[in-house]
Amino acid sequence: MNIQVKFFASLREKLGIESTSIDTRTGITIREIWDQVTSEDYPVNTLCAINMDYAKPDDVVSDGDEVAFFPPVTGG
């Protein structure tokens, strides 16, 4: 199954990855995708989304989904 993975803002800068595509097994979670794509520990406060809808790290993705990772939003 093919998944599009995107990183935004400071995560993109820290990891040096803007986007990638992975072929992976069925039943993979967002957290497992993070582990497959990066060598970094999953930051506890990282926000994630599946197809532009906020999701939880233990949510399962489907073939063709887009998974996005965002740093926490801060305001001022």
Side-chain angles (χ1 to χ4, degrees), residues 17-63:
I17 305 169
E18 181 174 343
S19 66
T20 188
S21 176
I22 61 169
D23 288 313
T24 190
R25 64 177 170 77
T26 304
I28 194 168
T29 66
I30 292 175
R31 173 73 182 259
E32 292 170 322
I33 288 172
W34 174 278
D35 292 341
Q36 186 173 335
V37 174
T38 77
S39 60
E40 300 286 326
D41 290 334
Y42 186 83
V44 177
N45 56 356
T46 297
L47 302 173
C48 51
I50 298 174
N51 300 326
M52 293 194 265
D53 289 323
Y54 283 112
K56 298 176 193 162
D58 59 345
D59 286 348
V60 175
V61 298
S62 300
D63 186 34

